[in-house]
């Protein structure tokens, strides 16, 4: 079975047909999905989805775009949500200098505060990091984030940084981008890091793989990502599915 470790089925892109897509997923080869929050309201919606569907789990956290949302009160709300047993991670949290670099201090503070929360709750973190490799790695090291571990999702940095993250004990999230012809660095990273450190993810509705690039993504398209990883690694597609599933259970602390 396939484990989609990072999805946003609460997104408005699914408002028209959310229920029917989820019904379709039930009869597909997708066995488990973690729906990831990006602010307080989408975190709550992720918990609601996990409560409603057996094979859904939730991550709660505030994305760097909404870093200003983080204060004592919102941290408490995340803490309350995380008391639900289907909440398996704190995320997505991190740094994004692509969209906004001016508020990097606020982003760093929010990132650190949520790493501390994850440590307190003994939950792994889901890291979003874009054009902020050095600051991200520095914060992960200085905050001893390896203690809870987690994943660098939608990995977009160099193979060297992938190795560094793996050495720190983190997983690397690989999704639709790996199928793009111009994704040379990501293909190299996948080649370099051990299969035991790779997780499958969609980030849907975003980042659909080829040949659906630009369309709405869903977990049903993960087969294309599996195919690409299998060809890079020179192993069977079944093996990719099996190992990444096991990796995800381990990272999220979910029993099968
Ligand atoms: Ni995401």
């Amino acid at each position: 079975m396939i484990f989609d470790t990072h999805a946003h089925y609460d997104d408005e892109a699914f408002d028209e047909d959310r229920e029917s897509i989820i019904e379709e997923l039930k009869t597909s080869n997708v066995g488990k999905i973690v729906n990831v929050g990006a602010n307080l309201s989408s975190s709550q919606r992720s918990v609601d989805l996990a409560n409603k569907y057996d094979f859904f789990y939730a991550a709660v956290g505030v994305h760097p775009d909404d870093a200003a949302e983080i204060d004592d009160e919102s941290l408490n709300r995340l803490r309350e949500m995380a008391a639900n047993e289907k909440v398996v991670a704190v995320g997505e949290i991190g740094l994004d200098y692509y969209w906004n670099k001016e508020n990097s201090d606020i982003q760093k503070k929010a990132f650190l505060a949520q790493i501390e929360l994850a440590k307190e709750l003994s939950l792994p973190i889901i890291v979003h990091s874009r054009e902020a490799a050095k600051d991200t790695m520095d914060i992960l090291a200085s905050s001893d984030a390896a203690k809870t571990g987690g994943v660098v999702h939608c990995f977009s940095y160099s193979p060297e940084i992938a190795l560094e993250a793996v050495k720190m004990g983190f997983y690397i999230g690989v999704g639709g981008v790996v199928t793009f012809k111009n994704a040379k660095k990501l293909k190299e990273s996948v080649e370099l890091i051990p299969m035991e450190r790779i997780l499958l993810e969609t980030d849907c509705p975003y980042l659909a793989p080829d040949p659906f690039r630009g369309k709405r993504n869903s977990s049903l398209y993960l087969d294309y990502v599996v195919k690409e990883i299998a060809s890079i690694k020179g192993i069977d597609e079944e093996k990719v599915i099996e190992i990444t599933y096991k990796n995800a259970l381990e990272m999220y602390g979910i029993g099968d």
Side-chain angles (χ1 to χ4, degrees), residues 6 8 92 153 203:
H6 191 122
H8 301 283
E92 49 188 293
H153 119 85
D203 205 19

